[in-house]
Amino acid sequence: MILVWLLGAIALLGLLIWGWLEWQYRQRPGNRLAFAAGQWNLEQYDSDHYQILGTPELINRTQALEIMVPELTAETTLLSGDSLDGIQVNVSIVPNHPDAEARSDGYWFAYIVKLRKRTQFKVQVDITGPGLRSLKALWVRIHYMTYGPGGRIPKTGHVIVPLKFPKSDAIPAWRTTPQAEVLPIPTHLLTHLDTSVEVIKRYVAPHAKPGDIVTLGETPLAIMQGRWRHPATVQPGWLARRLCYYFLPTSSLATACGLQTLVDVVGAWRVFFAFVGGAFMKAVLRRGGGFYQLAGEQARLIDDVTGTLPPYDQFIVLGPEAPQLVVDEIEKATGLGAAIVDVNDLKAVKIVAASASVNAQLVAQALIDNPAGNADEQTPLVLVRPLA
C-alpha cells in the first residue's frame, strides 16, 4: 500500500512539474527577432539603370535570449506595365554590424544579435536594361534564418519600393456630383516609405483651394503605416481555424489567417464572445452584422489576400491605426479638411475618421459612386470641392 501511495505521489509530482514546465514555456516569447525595413532610396534613376539602396535592421525583441543569424539572402520581384525581357536585376548585401567588420568576399557570416540590440545591413539593387520606365515597383524579400532555443526558424521581411511616379504636370479631370466636385488624384504605389502628409502635399496641394476636403482610402493609409502581414507570418490558432468557416466566402475573415489577424489585434476572448453574441442577435433578434459591431472597427477594415492591388494582393492588410490623429495632423499641416474613407462599388461609403471642419454627410454623398475606383486606378486620394 505504501509503495502504491509513493508511486502515485511521484506520478502526481511529475504531472505538476510537467504542467509547470509547460506553463513556463508558454510564457516565453520565443524567437522575436524582428525585421525593420529601414530607409530605401533611389540613388540612380536613369532610363537604362536604376540603383536602389536600402538599410534594413534586425531587432532582437526576445526577452533574455540572444538570437543568431547564420543565413541572410534577398529575393526580388519587379512589377511592370510591360514585358521584363532584357531587364537584369543584381542584388548585393553588405553587413553593417556595430561590432564586426563585413567580409570583402560578400559572405554573410553567422552573427549574434544580443539581448535588446539590433544590427543593420545594406542592400543594393541594380536594375539594368531597356524600358525601365515601365517598371512600377520593386518587391524585395529578405530571407533570414534565426537560430536559438527554438532551433532554426526561417523568417522573411518584405519591402516594396515604388519605381514609377505620375507626371507632375498632368491635370486630372474633375467630376461633378450634386453637392460637390471631385477629383481622383493618382499617386505612385504607396509604401511604408511614405507618410500621409507628405503624399498629400506632393500630389494634392497643386490642385487644392481653401475649403477643399481631401479623402484618403483606409487601405492605402494602413499600407503606409506598415500594417500588412504576409500569411506565412500568421499562425492560425484553434479559434480562428474553426470560426472562419462561419463567415461568408466574400468576407476577409473567411480564412484562418484573415481571422487570426483580428484575433491578434483584439484578442481571442473578444472574437469568441463577438461570435456568440452575433449568432444570438441573428437567431433571436433577427439582426445581422452583430459580430462586426461587437468585435470592433478592425473586423470591418481587414482586407485579406486579393483584397487590394499588387503586390499587396499577396498580403493581409489591417485597418489603419489612430485614423483620427491622422486626419487632424493632415488638416493642421495642409489647411485642408481631411477624411479617411472606406468606399466600394456597391455605393457603400464609410467615414472612418474626419477632421473637425469636414461635413461627413457631404463627403459620403460625393463619394457614393466611388470615383477612386476599386481596380488598379492607383488613385488613393480624392479631392472634394463643395459646391457653393
Side-chain angles (χ1 to χ4, degrees):
M1 181 63 68
I2 295 177
L3 181 60
V4 171
W5 181 87
L6 183 60
L7 290 174
I10 292 174
L12 179 61
L13 180 62
L15 288 173
L16 291 174
I17 294 174
W18 178 279
W20 180 82
L21 288 173
E22 180 66 20
W23 181 81
Q24 286 287 315
Y25 174 78
R26 290 179 179 274
Q27 300 308 304
R28 296 185 182 276
N31 182 340
R32 294 184 59 200
L33 188 68
F35 173 85
Q39 291 298 315
W40 291 71
N41 298 307
L42 266 168
E43 299 292 325
Q44 189 167 342
Y45 196 60
D46 298 330
S47 60
D48 59 352
H49 182 198
Y50 291 175
Q51 185 179 90
I52 300 97
L53 184 64
T55 53
E57 291 184 318
L58 297 177
I59 307 168
N60 188 359
R61 294 175 177 160
T62 310
Q63 295 180 8
L65 294 174
E66 295 182 341
I67 302 296
M68 288 165 263
V69 186
E71 301 173 21
L72 189 145
T73 59
E75 177 187 4
T76 62
T77 298
L78 289 174
L79 284 82
S80 175
D82 206 344
S83 170
L84 296 176
D85 290 344
I87 296 178
Q88 302 292 326
V89 181
N90 182 66
V91 183
S92 63
I93 297 175
V94 179
N96 189 23
H97 304 311
D99 53 359
E101 294 291 331
R103 290 172 57 105
S104 58
D105 60 4
Y107 176 81
W108 178 276
F109 56 87
Y111 180 77
I112 300 174
V113 186
K114 296 181 173 60
L115 177 64
R116 299 189 184 92
K117 299 295 183 181
R118 63 180 64 201
T119 191
Q120 191 180 75
F121 55 97
K122 297 179 181 178
V123 180
Q124 181 174 312
V125 182
D126 286 278
I127 307 171
T128 56
L132 298 189
R133 291 295 187 246
S134 65
L135 298 179
K136 293 183 178 181
L138 169 70
W139 179 9
V140 182
R141 295 178 289 285
I142 305 295
H143 303 292
Y144 58 104
M145 184 68 67
T146 64
Y147 183 70
R152 283 170 57 91
I153 302 176
K155 295 190 174 185
T156 302
H158 299 267
V159 179
I160 296 168
V161 182
L163 299 178
K164 191 178 184 69
F165 304 89
K167 294 181 179 179
S168 58
D169 57 353
I171 302 176
W174 286 88
R175 306 178 190 178
T176 301
T177 72
Q179 292 183 315
E181 290 185 317
V182 296
L183 180 66
I185 299 178
T187 69
H188 61 271
L189 184 70
L190 300 179
T191 74
H192 80 286
L193 303 172
D194 299 299
T195 66
S196 55
V197 169
E198 292 304 317
V199 168
I200 289 169
K201 285 182 176 180
R202 177 175 182 177
Y203 291 108
V204 178
H207 310 286
K209 294 181 178 180
D212 287 353
I213 302 166
V214 59
T215 69
L216 171 61
E218 52 90 13
T219 296
L221 174 58
I223 286 172
M224 287 189 285
Q225 293 177 332
R227 292 175 61 78
W228 37 282
R229 300 176 62 184
H230 196 277
T233 67
V234 180
Q235 298 180 344
W238 184 93
L239 188 68
R241 289 183 181 277
R242 284 152 181 80
L243 295 191
C244 66
Y245 287 99
Y246 294 92
F247 292 87
L248 292 174
T250 54
S251 170
S252 290
L253 305 180
T255 66
C257 289
L259 185 54
Q260 184 62 44
T261 59
L262 178 63
V263 172
D264 293 342
V265 172
V266 304
W269 283 111
R270 182 170 183 179
V271 170
F272 174 73
F273 284 115
F275 178 79
V276 174
F280 174 82
M281 292 170 66
K282 187 173 184 178
V284 178
L285 303 179
R286 305 300 183 189
R287 288 174 52 192
F291 174 85
Y292 294 94
Q293 297 175 27
L294 298 172
E297 189 74 4
Q298 285 293 326
R300 293 184 182 274
L301 298 179
I302 290 174
D303 283 324
D304 203 355
V305 168
T306 74
T308 188
L309 77 171
Y312 298 109
D313 62 327
Q314 304 289 325
F315 295 85
I316 302 167
V317 182
L318 285 74
E321 184 176 25
Q324 188 61 50
L325 294 179
V326 172
V327 294
D328 291 342
E329 181 186 11
I330 292 172
E331 182 164 10
K332 181 179 179 180
T334 68
L336 299 172
I340 307 303
V341 298
D342 182 14
V343 187
N344 61 37
D345 287 336
L346 302 177
K347 297 186 180 296
V349 180
K350 179 176 178 56
I351 308 298
V352 178
S355 59
S357 64
V358 170
N359 182 333
Q361 184 177 359
L362 181 145
V363 170
Q365 186 61 41
L367 302 181
I368 196 71
D369 291 324
N370 193 14
N374 261 20
D376 59 353
E377 293 88 349
Q378 210 166 299
T379 51
L381 300 167
V382 176
L383 188 61
V384 178
R385 180 167 296 166
L387 296 176

